[in-house]
Amino acid sequence: MKKEQSMFKFIFTFPVLVYTFILILLPLLYILFLSFCKSDSYGGIIYTFTLSNYLNIFDITYIKMFIKSSLIAILATFICILISYPFALVLRTKSKHIQNLCTKLIMVPFLTNSLIRTYGWIILLRKNGIINTALINSGIIYTPLSLMYNRIGIIIGMVYTLLPFMLLPVCSSVLEIDNNIIEAAKDLGASKIQVFKNIILPQTLSGVFNGSLMVFMPAIGYFFITDILGGGKIMIIGNLIKNQFLTARNWPFGSAIAIFLIIITIILIKIYKRLGGKMDDLGGF
Amino acid sequence: MKDNVIVRFDNVSKSFNNTNVIKDISLDIYEGEFITFLGPSGCGKTTLLRMVSGLEKVSSGKVFIDNKDVTNVDPTKREVNTIFQNFALFPKMTVKDNITFGLRMKKENPKEIEKRCKEVIKLVKLEGFENRYPSELSGGQQQRVAIARGVIMNPKVLLLDESLCSLDLKLKKSMQVELKRIQKKLGITFIYVTHAQDEALSMSDRIAIINNGVIEQLGTPSDIYISPKTVFVADFIGEANIVDGKVISQKDDNLTLSILNNYKINIKTSEVFKKDEIVKVIIRPEDVKISPNTLTNAINGKITDFIYGGENTKLIIKIDDNNSLKSSVTDEERYSVGKNVYIKFEEKYIVALRK
């Protein structure tokens, strides 16, 4: 009986295993393998073991780039939190119907390719774009603002593209709080600020952390946003990896940086768990 | 004990979207009593309770706590505390932090908090669980935390909103005893809301039966059980056979009725009825006495159902095509389905009510 059951389980999980193995594990293992290889100057790969790719990451130019792109990503994450949290708190006071509708609307942008949506921002942000024209015509400014091909453009693009990844976990953690618990706190004499500080905030931190991880990690990697809205003037880690693969044709070094990013992600998740977070709250992970 | 009014509802009404949930209720609740609001779901009992805590505003009328008009006072400033239906413990806080929450919010002296916390933990018998999280506790223990969290505030009134509902039967029974013990020990007023009549009967000093936003009857458990004032109360509290009766004659408080195809009964009543008036007659199952032996001047019936219940077994007895009676027996081994029985009544507990 037991043997039959486990056989049954195996048959049904087998396709999933194959899928995960071919599409996720195999490419990753290949990247890991490449990161320990040497490259020749023509973009070929020399299959001898080396740690030099990893040591190269700690070059001062790259470290500066890491810091710069982390700062951009942190800023984008922070702005996403500032937008999402109040939104979730307001949504909490609305009816179930409106809550469901809004959560669905958050997901609408996913229906269009993010690359195309990023191009859309050019029409809005450029010198003679909609925003500048509107501001000049209404007499608020006289000379157009430079909203793109600089850091502002990149931040706007990052926040816009990654906001749903913050909104969804933050909203779900805020909406999850049982109204009874808030009433109980009020009943025990807690003021509005005390309720927020002692009840709402501790219960939603995991959602905020989850969202931060999902915004921060792509934000240091989304090279197309810096390419399109940053005009190629500012490089983030994503650009560096892309360049190693496509321009410099140094696949082993690109792989090493990619693996390095994965390690950072794992460390962040470990810190999160150490702080008492639950893996379940991370949903996707 | 019974002279000091602690909570007063003064012509209180409440409507949600034009439907009246509470209709002009006036009620005095005394210091130190255990009063239960009992009624079916949606009758307004929880709304009434939330008006005391302030979590619900009244549409009209006034609410007084300890002779102070609190109608427009914020829930955070009222000297009452609530035990919620699902306990509503704070999941990210330990038992101790949960219990001391109210005092910490009031910024009490830490030494005082520590002392009071020890006292209430002892009161609810939770010693040794101070550093656990709510998710690590059983239902009964969570219930105790919820009670401790309320009573540590020294409220004038403790409000319990269907607090025992989510517990299993065995635990419910022991928590009933426990609640009563805590209430006696503290001497504060408990207002308990429930739809379960057994909880109400076993714990309360007084019960207010609420239906459709009005109080149908207010009285001690035995009052309400023995002399229900309305058919709804009779039906809701305990089990009852409700049959039609016709008034034959009345002499002072002695009423002679004919029920179930001209069977005559004599009952006591304080009401005055007219001759030939049709009334509702309430007969409790334990007052339906049956015998397998032929009796003179008895109703004949046939057992159609046998509901075994340990010390309290019930039989359904068919009198005719339109009437059946429920009878509770202790000598159930003498009966079986299909058997003919003879019925008499314990007439002094039968109640006649106007339709």
Side-chain angles (χ1 to χ4, degrees):
Chain A
M1 180 66 196
K2 215 166 185 182
K3 212 171 176 186
E4 257 173 53
Q5 258 186 0
S6 61
M7 189 68 193
F8 206 66
K9 261 189 200 162
F10 180 75
I11 291 169
F12 274 90
T13 45
F14 186 71
V16 184
L17 283 175
V18 172
Y19 186 90
T20 342
F21 185 75
I22 295 179
L23 293 179
I24 296 171
L25 201 58
L26 217 55
L28 261 179
L29 286 174
Y30 183 57
I31 295 285
L32 184 66
F33 169 74
L34 278 183
S35 70
F36 291 108
C37 292
K38 278 184 180 161
S39 69
D40 61 22
S41 35
Y42 303 102
I45 293 154
I46 305 162
Y47 297 99
T48 45
F49 178 82
T50 175
L51 284 175
S52 61
N53 296 318
Y54 285 97
L55 296 175
N56 281 345
I57 295 174
F58 297 99
D59 186 289
I60 189 73
T61 6
Y62 298 134
I63 287 176
K64 268 186 188 162
M65 191 184 290
F66 265 91
I67 291 170
K68 231 187 237 167
S69 65
S70 295
L71 285 177
I72 290 176
I74 287 169
L75 193 58
T77 310
F78 196 66
I79 294 171
C80 283
I81 295 174
L82 285 185
I83 297 171
S84 304
Y85 212 94
F87 176 81
L89 288 179
V90 172
L91 196 59
R92 216 192 124 75
T93 63
K94 305 292 173 217
S95 70
K96 267 262 129 53
H97 179 72
I98 292 176
Q99 289 177 3
N100 285 337
L101 185 73
C102 283
T103 331
K104 276 178 196 140
L105 283 176
I106 292 169
M107 293 194 273
V108 167
F110 290 125
L111 296 174
T112 323
N113 184 299
S114 54
L115 193 60
I116 295 166
R117 283 185 283 130
T118 309
Y119 273 108
W121 274 97
I122 296 178
I123 299 166
L124 291 171
L125 295 180
R126 65 181 171 205
K127 284 254 148 67
N128 53 356
I130 293 171
I131 292 173
N132 272 321
T133 320
L135 287 176
I136 289 170
N137 288 349
S138 59
I140 295 169
I141 51 169
Y142 296 105
T143 47
L145 302 168
S146 28
L147 295 172
M148 54 182 289
Y149 303 130
N150 56 18
R151 211 160 280 171
I152 296 171
I154 295 174
I155 298 280
I156 290 174
M158 296 276 183
V159 169
Y160 167 73
T161 316
L162 297 168
L163 189 62
F165 295 104
M166 182 66 81
L167 273 173
L168 289 175
V170 168
C171 282
S172 87
S173 71
V174 170
L175 296 182
E176 224 171 49
I177 301 173
D178 189 349
N179 219 11
N180 262 342
I181 287 178
I182 290 175
E183 285 193 340
K186 274 192 207 155
D187 186 75
L188 291 164
S191 66
K192 274 191 177 132
I193 295 166
Q194 285 174 324
V195 169
F196 179 77
K197 209 179 105 201
N198 294 288
I199 309 293
I200 298 178
L201 200 59
Q203 285 203 54
T204 50
L205 275 184
S206 66
V208 172
F209 185 87
N210 179 7
S212 301
L213 209 59
M214 304 234 281
V215 170
F216 179 81
M217 291 320 292
I220 55 179
Y222 269 16
F223 55 84
F224 63 89
I225 292 174
T226 41
D227 279 353
I228 297 168
L229 295 175
K233 280 186 278 184
I234 295 160
M235 289 250 282
I236 59 168
I237 300 170
N239 299 96
L240 180 62
I241 298 173
K242 186 198 88 174
N243 288 347
Q244 292 310 316
F245 278 92
L246 301 181
T247 321
R249 307 220 16 100
N250 187 347
W251 283 35
F253 185 49
S255 303
I257 307 167
I259 295 292
F260 185 69
L261 272 189
I262 292 175
I263 291 169
I264 291 177
T265 315
I266 292 171
I267 291 171
L268 286 175
I269 293 176
K270 285 274 180 236
I271 292 172
Y272 167 73
K273 274 174 89 175
R274 186 65 58 82
L275 292 174
K278 289 199 185 79
M279 286 315 275
D280 289 352
D281 296 340
L282 286 182
F285 290 95
Chain B
M1 192 205 245
K2 272 224 162 185
D3 27 40
N4 225 349
V5 174
I6 194 85
V7 177
R8 166 169 286 163
F9 291 103
D10 199 358
N11 299 97
V12 167
S13 293
K14 173 78 187 179
S15 50
F16 291 114
N17 311 322
N18 294 329
T19 44
N20 294 323
V21 193
I22 300 290
K23 296 165 195 159
D24 198 24
I25 284 184
S26 293
L27 172 66
D28 282 353
I29 295 167
Y30 301 103
E31 196 172 348
E33 78 170 330
F34 194 125
I35 187 169
T36 300
F37 297 164
L38 176 65
S41 41
C43 71
K45 56 188 191 298
T46 298
T47 310
L48 202 58
L49 187 83
R50 287 166 64 87
M51 286 171 171
V52 182
S53 65
L55 292 169
E56 209 76 73
K57 291 253 173 292
V58 301
S59 302
S60 69
K62 281 194 162 89
V63 180
F64 295 87
I65 296 174
D66 203 16
N67 294 319
K68 278 191 289 273
D69 183 353
V70 294
T71 315
N72 295 314
V73 173
D74 197 66
T76 58
K77 306 233 157 48
R78 295 192 189 189
E79 287 173 278
V80 297
N81 288 105
T82 311
I83 316 279
F84 288 84
Q85 188 169 0
N86 54 3
F87 314 140
L89 300 179
F90 308 128
K92 305 261 164 173
M93 290 183 204
T94 59
V95 167
K96 192 177 166 185
D97 287 346
N98 260 287
I99 292 174
T100 56
F101 182 82
L103 294 181
R104 285 188 287 124
M105 293 306 107
K106 269 170 95 183
K107 305 216 160 60
E108 281 279 346
N109 170 6
K111 269 194 189 137
E112 174 70 14
I113 294 179
E114 194 72 24
K115 196 180 127 234
R116 297 254 290 271
C117 181
K118 276 221 175 82
E119 282 168 15
V120 293
I121 282 182
K122 200 167 161 227
L123 177 75
V124 299
K125 299 175 181 161
L126 271 177
E127 293 105 328
F129 291 97
E130 289 88 344
N131 295 319
R132 299 251 194 123
Y133 283 89
S135 57
E136 299 165 344
L137 299 177
S138 72
Q141 290 162 342
Q142 290 184 19
Q143 167 83 76
R144 285 159 198 272
V145 177
I147 294 170
R149 190 175 66 176
V151 299
I152 199 173
M153 302 303 289
N154 282 337
K156 295 218 161 88
V157 184
L158 194 68
L159 312 170
L160 301 103
D161 185 4
E162 311 224 15
S163 300
L164 299 181
C165 267
S166 52
L167 303 178
D168 63 69
L169 189 66
K170 192 100 187 167
L171 201 53
K172 203 188 264 185
K173 294 269 184 229
S174 71
M175 281 313 291
Q176 284 178 14
V177 178
E178 196 68 15
L179 269 184
K180 195 71 196 167
R181 177 186 69 84
I182 292 170
Q183 192 255 341
K184 281 240 175 73
K185 182 146 191 194
L186 294 172
I188 55 177
T189 309
F190 275 35
I191 305 180
Y192 188 82
V193 158
T194 186
H195 61 257
Q197 44 130 335
D198 59 317
E199 290 173 14
L201 289 173
S202 66
M203 291 191 289
S204 321
D205 296 321
R206 284 197 303 163
I207 299 175
I209 307 235
I210 297 171
N211 186 33
N212 282 329
V214 295
I215 297 178
E216 291 251 346
Q217 191 170 353
L218 176 70
T220 65
S222 59
D223 260 358
I224 285 177
Y225 189 77
I226 294 170
S227 39
K229 291 271 185 302
T230 65
V231 174
F232 174 83
V233 172
D235 200 28
F236 195 75
I237 287 280
E239 281 187 89
N241 294 295
I242 302 171
V243 295
D244 283 339
K246 195 170 156 192
V247 177
I248 294 175
S249 64
Q250 182 169 23
K251 200 173 181 198
D252 300 332
D253 57 352
N254 285 313
L255 182 70
T256 307
L257 295 166
S258 129
I259 58 167
L260 300 167
N261 309 326
N262 298 324
Y263 183 78
K264 282 200 186 76
I265 53 168
N266 292 299
I267 65 169
K268 300 262 181 209
T269 181
S270 51
E271 299 269 317
V272 178
F273 294 95
K274 286 194 288 280
K275 194 176 182 317
D276 290 335
E277 191 177 340
I278 304 292
V279 293
K280 285 281 179 200
V281 180
I282 315 295
I283 312 166
R284 297 287 179 195
E286 59 269 30
D287 298 329
V288 179
K289 304 289 184 196
I290 61 169
S291 163
N293 307 320
T294 317
L295 297 174
T296 51
N297 198 19
I299 302 176
N300 190 1
K302 196 182 200 177
I303 299 173
T304 56
D305 276 296
F306 193 98
I307 306 158
Y308 187 72
E311 72 265 50
N312 178 18
T313 295
K314 288 199 175 69
L315 304 176
I316 311 282
I317 302 149
K318 191 174 160 190
I319 311 294
D320 56 41
D321 284 342
N322 299 322
N323 293 299
S324 285
L325 287 178
K326 214 182 269 173
S327 169
S328 60
V329 292
T330 46
D331 49 351
E332 74 275 356
E333 64 281 354
R334 296 170 73 191
Y335 306 101
S336 60
V337 172
K339 210 165 180 177
N340 264 315
V341 288
Y342 293 86
I343 304 166
K344 289 202 161 194
F345 300 105
E346 186 75 70
E347 293 180 358
K348 63 178 168 183
Y349 295 120
I350 293 179
V351 176
L353 296 171
R354 273 214 171 76
K355 275 197 163 174

